[in-house]
Amino acid sequence: MKAKPAAAPRPSRARARTTSIAAFVVLAALVPTTATASGTQEVEAELPYVCNLPSGQLPATVRVSADFPERAEAGEAFTPSDVTTTVELPAEAVADLTARDAAEVRAATRLTVGVAQNSATATATWRGGSEPLALPGSGPLTLVTRGDVPSVAGRSDGDLTFSAGALAIDLALAAADPAGADPGSLTVDCALADDAPGQGLLATVPVGTDEQAPSGSPSSSGPAASSGAPDDDGASDAPGDGRPERQSERSPKVLENTPGAAADRDDVPPCRYDEQHPPTDVSLNAYVTGYANVKKMKGAAYLPPSCVLIEQGLPVPGPPDPEYLIFDTLSYANFHYRERKQTPPFEATFLSFDFAPVKATMVLEQTGPMRIDSRMKIRLSDFTTITDTYVRAPLVLHVLDLEVNGTPLDVGSGCRTETSLTSEDPDPANFPGDHLVLYGRGEQIIGLPATGYLLLSGGALSGEATIPAFTGCGSDGEDLDRLLTASVSGPGNYIKQVQGQTCAIAAPVFPSPENEGQCTEDLQPYEIPVAER
């Protein structure tokens, strides 16, 4: 396997999310960060699957690629990075979807990954999402999804193995004619084929030992080398000491991802309603923060916590669907900083053209309301709830100060992007104009904590944006537009933003032994979220 720089490990974040409607996020500044650690194994696995399509059980090919560390220490959490799941469904799948009058599809994948060390096992879910894709006229349907995955930590010495298992593919369909019937959605369940190489093995990471197992092959300490059968209570006899040891005490830890620590409350701007902005019965407030890739800079950018005020809409019945109850909700939101609809000013430092250090102070400013469209679907067969949220935000990037190689440059008072940051909108006929689009999905199975993005409890949303050219930059005849445009502007900038738990002003929940805090005593958001890579 090829080696390349490894991403930094990300510690855990576990939080039950229980309500869904919407949220919103913004593109960050320009603070590149690069990983300098070495020792990464680059994994690419091609596996046969059998998928349950409307036309029957049919073979499919699933390719999984990811970067793993070459080794880890016991108790050290690490996160597989650059995870991509590519699913090639047969031509019959295209026929199944076009029979529903679908012309476009957006996919979300849920891959079950077994994690094993010695005789102990755990399970992780690798989630990914795709951009909208037009259905091909013929041939197979290839879906490419990307997303972050949980961190993992081995509890003792011994190889840690990762193996692919069941795969679920949620397909959100769109019709060619927006005025036509809604083709709805479809979930395709797939199982690993019996003849899959290595029973779906993806990678082996040696933990705490100097002996490295060959890449791509299970070690003798993997799941097949179990030293004791589980008892009825889940315990397995530990070899050699005659003492039973519970499975949960030895199983690898699978962790939610939230790197770093939350900002101190003194370091974030106030986030409260006031006389100029009185709350209503449906008012919420929350902090948002996150990262975005700046493609030209070959690094990630960071936006510190910003306050957003939300007016939550009321759900209305959505289009009829024989498999789901559907409700649509429209909400609106605004940044709130010193009575302005913008983020607080933030500093960013990066290397322009890979050699010239540039430091800028910037804000993101709204040029119109943030629109939040959510669709909640309750599956009639098992009452699982799925919520898809699109955030549409017209935001310009305004540069306040600029310093190149230690020399201040006067950018003037009107240095900004020519238009809003832009994304490809999945419904351009109904949502024309320049705006940023971010997407999130939440899911809740009865009896289990919700996962993914949900408005009231927060979560991550993602998308891709184009940074427009800059205008109005410079003074005294010096034009800095081209410098900023050449350094920063362009397409393909991946964004991931995190919204914290909201505070419902009309029904605040304060910290108590029975409840996690949602609001402070002065009705600000209790949670300050942490940016995730």
Side-chain angles (χ1 to χ4, degrees):
M1 295 182 182
K2 295 177 285 185
K4 67 179 186 179
R10 290 172 282 189
S12 67
R13 175 180 184 256
R15 186 179 185 88
R17 301 186 175 99
T18 57
T19 313
S20 61
I21 296 180
F24 38 105
V25 287
V26 293
L27 182 65
L30 310 169
V31 188
T33 58
T34 56
T36 57
S38 60
T40 295
Q41 51 174 317
E42 190 176 280
V43 172
E44 296 180 2
E46 182 172 306
L47 301 169
Y49 273 75
V50 177
C51 295
N52 291 315
L53 292 157
S55 52
Q57 287 192 339
L58 296 170
T61 299
V62 176
R63 292 183 290 275
V64 181
S65 62
D67 291 349
F68 290 82
E70 288 185 347
R71 62 175 54 254
E73 297 299 324
E76 175 189 0
F78 63 86
T79 309
S81 60
D82 292 339
V83 177
T84 300
T85 302
T86 302
V87 183
E88 186 175 297
L89 296 173
E92 290 87 344
V94 177
D96 289 335
L97 300 183
T98 54
R100 293 174 169 240
D101 294 327
E104 188 178 81
V105 61
R106 178 190 287 265
T109 54
R110 291 169 284 142
L111 177 64
T112 300
V113 176
V115 186
Q117 187 181 44
N118 302 318
S119 60
T121 60
T123 301
T125 300
W126 287 10
R127 299 177 182 271
S130 76
E131 294 299 310
L133 174 71
L135 291 175
S138 61
L141 174 62
T142 301
L143 305 168
V144 180
T145 67
R146 297 177 177 85
D148 290 342
V149 302
S151 299
V152 174
R155 297 211 184 189
S156 60
D157 291 354
D159 287 348
L160 200 60
T161 61
F162 295 77
S163 300
L167 172 68
I169 311 166
D170 298 317
L171 302 176
L173 308 176
D177 182 5
D182 188 340
S185 58
L186 177 69
T187 296
V188 177
D189 293 313
C190 304
L192 188 70
D194 293 338
D195 59 349
Q199 297 182 321
L201 181 69
L202 299 175
T204 300
V205 179
V207 176
T209 174
D210 292 331
E211 296 181 3
Q212 182 165 347
S215 297
S217 61
S219 71
S220 60
S221 59
S226 177
S227 57
D231 299 327
D232 292 339
D233 62 355
S236 175
D237 293 337
D241 60 4
R243 175 175 58 86
E245 181 182 13
R246 291 188 177 276
Q247 165 89 2
S248 60
E249 295 173 351
R250 298 176 292 108
S251 297
K253 290 183 181 179
V254 177
L255 312 165
E256 293 282 345
N257 289 327
T258 300
D264 188 91
R265 188 163 295 276
D266 293 336
D267 298 328
V268 299
C271 191
R272 63 170 69 90
Y273 288 84
D274 52 33
E275 293 182 359
Q276 288 73 33
H277 300 82
T280 68
D281 290 342
V282 294
S283 292
L284 310 170
N285 52 3
Y287 284 108
V288 293
T289 185
Y291 289 95
N293 288 346
V294 180
K295 191 174 182 180
K296 284 188 175 180
M297 298 293 103
K298 302 175 183 178
Y302 171 68
L303 178 74
S306 300
C307 172
V308 194
L309 305 183
I310 312 163
E311 287 300 299
Q312 180 180 341
L314 298 176
V316 298
D321 189 300
E323 299 177 11
Y324 294 91
L325 288 175
I326 299 179
F327 298 93
D328 290 333
T329 304
L330 171 60
S331 303
Y332 289 96
N334 290 304
F335 282 118
H336 183 62
Y337 177 74
R338 295 184 178 179
E339 306 303 324
R340 297 178 181 177
K341 297 177 182 179
Q342 65 174 56
T343 66
F346 49 87
E347 276 194 357
T349 302
F350 58 95
L351 287 178
S352 181
F353 305 111
D354 294 328
F355 70 89
V358 176
K359 182 170 72 173
T361 302
M362 294 169 288
V363 297
L364 282 163
E365 301 173 335
Q366 286 180 237
T367 59
M370 294 186 190
R371 178 184 172 116
I372 307 159
D373 291 276
S374 273
R375 172 162 290 180
M376 181 173 64
K377 300 183 295 184
I378 305 173
R379 191 157 55 210
L380 297 175
S381 60
D382 58 6
F383 297 102
T384 294
T385 300
I386 299 170
T387 301
D388 294 301
T389 297
Y390 291 91
V391 178
R392 295 175 170 92
L395 298 168
V396 298
L397 184 63
H398 188 173
V399 180
L400 305 178
D401 295 294
L402 186 65
E403 184 179 291
V404 178
N405 203 23
T407 302
L409 299 179
D410 187 357
V411 295
S413 60
C415 182
R416 47 168 283 173
T417 52
E418 289 182 342
T419 64
S420 168
L421 308 173
T422 60
S423 302
E424 182 179 349
D425 197 295
D427 189 4
N430 288 317
F431 301 101
D434 296 323
H435 52 266
L436 179 68
V437 180
L438 293 138
Y439 169 77
R441 164 169 285 203
E443 179 180 299
Q444 185 165 22
I445 300 172
I446 290 180
L448 297 175
T451 57
Y453 172 76
L454 302 168
L455 172 63
L456 295 189
S457 57
L461 296 95
S462 61
E464 192 170 285
T466 294
I467 303 174
F470 284 80
T471 185
C473 304
S475 63
D476 298 329
E478 185 176 21
D479 186 355
L480 301 177
D481 294 346
R482 289 183 295 175
L483 170 64
L484 287 169
T485 298
S487 302
V488 176
S489 301
N493 301 287
Y494 176 75
I495 306 165
K496 182 178 181 182
Q497 298 287 300
V498 179
Q499 178 214 310
Q501 167 75 48
T502 58
C503 170
I505 306 302
V509 176
F510 303 111
S512 71
E514 293 78 26
N515 296 302
E516 292 187 42
Q518 296 180 9
C519 304
T520 63
E521 292 295 330
D522 59 349
L523 298 182
Q524 296 193 70
Y526 186 81
E527 181 185 13
I528 301 172
V530 178
E532 298 179 6
R533 296 193 188 280

